[in-house]
Structures are given as C-alpha cells and as structure tokens.
Amino acid sequence: MRTDKKYRFVKNTRGLIRSLSVPFVALLMLSCFLFWNCLDGFSKGSKNENAFKDIYAMNYDVSRLNDSEENRIIKQGYELFLNTTKYIGPAGAEKNKVYAGNNLSCTNCHLGSGTKPYAAPLIGIIQRFPQFRGRENKMGTIEERINGCMERSMNGKMMPSDGQEMKAIIAYLNWLGRYAPKDGKIKGQGFLKINIPERAVNLENGAEIFKANCVLCHGENGQGLKSTDGYGYQYPPLWGYDSYNDGAGMTRVITAARFIKANMPFGATYDNPVLTDEEAYDVAGYINQQLRPEKRNREIDFPDLKKKPVSTPYPPYTDTFSLQQHQLGPFQPIMEYYKSEYNIVKSK
C-alpha cells in the first residue's frame, strides 16, 4: 500500500515538474536576463557617471608625481602650459625656441591648467584625435591642433612636431586624459552653449558690461594684469599687441560669448554664471571689435568656405551677408541660409 502511494506520488511529482519545466525555465531565463541587463546597465551608468560627473575631481596635481623620467616630461609639459612665455615665448632664454609671439600662456584660455569644465578643458583631448578640422578641411593630428593655437591664440609660429617641447606638452595632455573614457568625450568639453540673441550685438551695452564686470582684472584698456613673477599674465590682455590675433577662434562672437558665460567675470562657473546670455553676447562683441594683431594668410583658412563658422570675422565667405553681420550678427539669417541652401546646420 505504501509502495503504491509512493509510486503515485513520485509519478505525479515528475509529471508536475515536466508540465512546469518549459514555462518555469523560460521565466527563470527571462528573470536572469533582466537582472543581468539591469545590473550591466547600472554598472555602465555608474561608469558613465564617474566618467562625466567626477572627471574634474580626479588628481591633476603634477607636484605629487615622483621624479621618474616619464614624470619629468609630464612636469615639463605642465610648466610649458603654465608659463608658456617663459620657455617658448618672448621671455624665453633660448631664442631659437621662441614660438609664441605674445606673452600669454596656454592656461590663460584653458583655465585651471586645462581642467576647468566649459573652459575648453583638455581632459580626454588626446583620445579625440585625429579629428576633422573645418579650418583645414582635413583630418588633423593633435600636433597640428597645438600648432594652430600657437599660430593664432599665441600669435606665433609652429613648433617642430618632433621637438622636445611638443613631446612634453603631449605627455602632459596624455596624463590629463588618463581617467577619461576611451573616446575622450566628457561633460563640459568645449564651451557652454547659449541662446544666441536674435539681434545684432549692442556695442554700447557691451562697453557698459565690460566696465562693470571686466575692468577690475583686464584693465580699462583691455591690457590685462601681469603676473607677479614677471612672466606672462595673471589676467590676460583681451586686445592690443599682446593678445590673441584676429585669426583665433576666440574672435568669433558666439565662441567668445560661450566662454565668457561660463567663466567670466572671475568666480563664475557654468552652473553659477554671473552674466546672462545677452550680456555675454554683447560684451564678446565689444571685446572683439577692438584692435589686435593680424593673422597672416587668413584667406586660406577654410578651403571649403561652406564650413566656415557664421561668426568668423574675416572674409572670404560663400554668401552675400556683410562683413559687419558676420562680425556682429544677427546670425540666425546666416544660419538659415546655410540650412536652406546647403542643408548645413551651423551653431557658431
């Protein structure tokens, strides 16, 4: 009797298991898939959050590096970046290595030695090259990009691509990018986007904003404030003979306004700005209407003129808008022209 009951129990149990096995296994597999997919998503999300949110909190203090040969080159690159004019500018002792034509330093534009968000930070920049550049209409190397700054923002001449100075700067940039994601893309790269006013720059308003917010650091005549050590500037000149030349990207009103909004006046940040979009726009236009050095051979910039930013302040153009409108706006009609005529969306 017990044997029969035991037999029936085992038989019924096996049948139940067989009847449940297909949906149960399917349900189990689906649960595992969802669990691991969520876990993987959480892991990726954490990585992205670390890569984007915490990238600026990493250690970028070169003084903590030991004195290995590799670190010595990184430190040299940092020194070149921080005190450009002292080593490769007008104040340099080795006259055959004077590449910068003014007394600015790289950190005057790339604030915080290249580590401040929305101030053209250089964290991850190495990973983003080679990169297509419309100004040359080709894929460019990081060496070419650095020399672009040297010829324009520094109003100087190109450094040898295989020279010690170039190698040292690239070593520093590599070191800055050691925490960056593989593609080098980070939150806060480039400049802060703004709502571009649908009007021309108001130069009178720009002058008033400059007097109220910029004079304290940059001087009444935009001459800047020299560093106490006698090399370079604590606050750079915004126009005049020792400033960036008229071929630099910062001469574009939209570009300058985006930089100013997130970083100026002193103490401003992208998440705690002082100026409105309209104020940044007007003061950028005012600054860039002042006299500055002239870049040679500007006419060969942008071999494909359709790729020229609408706020580029020098000709030639492939449109019929005036030089004044390219310099001061309004820029929306120019943008609309390129969209309708060439299906090109422009934002600067």
Side-chain angles (χ1 to χ4, degrees), residues 210-221:
F210 185 85
K211 290 176 184 177
N213 296 277
C214 312
V215 164
L216 182 63
C217 294
H218 297 285
E220 292 184 5
N221 299 311

Side-chain angles (χ1 to χ4, degrees), residues 82-318:
L82 193 67
N83 297 297
T84 312
T85 187
K86 180 178 179 180
Y87 299 104
I88 56 174
E94 297 183 61
K95 298 307 177 184
N96 63 327
K97 292 189 175 183
V98 174
Y99 303 113
N102 56 33
N103 288 289
L104 299 181
S105 290
C106 300
T107 194
N108 287 143
C109 290
H110 302 278
L111 304 182
S113 300
T115 65
K116 187 181 180 188
Y118 296 109
L122 298 172
I123 299 166
I125 189 71
I126 290 290
Q127 292 93 318
R128 299 198 292 272
F129 277 83
Q131 183 183 91
F132 180 82
R133 300 282 299 166
R135 192 154 56 193
E136 293 80 27
N137 200 36
K138 70 180 185 70
M139 294 296 290
T141 65
I142 186 62
E143 291 86 355
E144 289 172 319
R145 183 68 187 91
I146 291 169
N147 271 329
C149 282
M150 196 60 58
E151 288 188 298
R152 298 169 189 273
S153 297
M154 311 302 290
N155 192 34
K157 61 183 182 181
M158 292 192 296
M159 297 186 292
S161 294
D162 58 352
Q164 180 58 35
E165 292 74 23
M166 181 69 80
K167 290 178 180 177
I169 291 173
I170 290 176
Y172 175 62
L173 298 183
N174 265 312
W175 182 76
L176 284 182
R178 67 197 188 281
Y179 300 120
K182 289 183 179 180
D183 61 6
K185 295 180 180 180
I186 60 171
K187 181 179 178 181
Q189 72 185 56
F191 302 119
L192 188 68
K193 293 190 185 323
I194 64 168
N195 292 317
I196 304 167
E198 295 188 23
R199 60 170 175 80
V201 167
N202 184 327
L203 291 175
E204 291 183 3
N205 190 43
E208 291 302 315
I209 294 165
F210 185 85
K211 290 176 184 177
N213 296 277
C214 312
V215 164
L216 182 63
C217 294
H218 297 285
E220 292 184 5
N221 299 311
Q223 73 271 21
L225 180 65
K226 290 274 191 178
S227 296
T228 55
D229 64 3
Y231 297 106
Y233 289 91
Q234 182 178 359
Y235 304 111
L238 301 180
W239 63 82
Y241 76 96
D242 222 16
S243 187
Y244 54 90
N245 67 38
D246 60 3
M250 201 59 75
T251 57
R252 298 195 290 262
V253 166
I254 297 173
T255 299
R258 291 173 62 191
F259 173 82
I260 289 167
K261 175 66 186 288
N263 300 288
M264 297 293 142
F266 183 80
T269 59
Y270 74 95
D271 54 353
N272 189 27
V274 173
L275 303 179
T276 66
D277 291 354
E278 298 225 352
E279 289 171 332
Y281 179 74
D282 286 342
V283 77
Y286 170 75
I287 289 168
N288 281 323
Q289 282 296 296
Q290 312 307 313
L291 294 176
R292 63 185 64 259
E294 183 177 329
K295 170 72 172 64
R296 293 181 180 179
N297 303 320
R298 293 174 310 174
E299 67 279 0
I300 68 174
D301 287 353
F302 300 97
D304 183 352
L305 290 174
K306 297 190 298 295
K307 293 183 171 68
K308 203 168 194 174
V310 297
S311 57
T312 304
Y314 54 89
Y317 307 108
T318 188

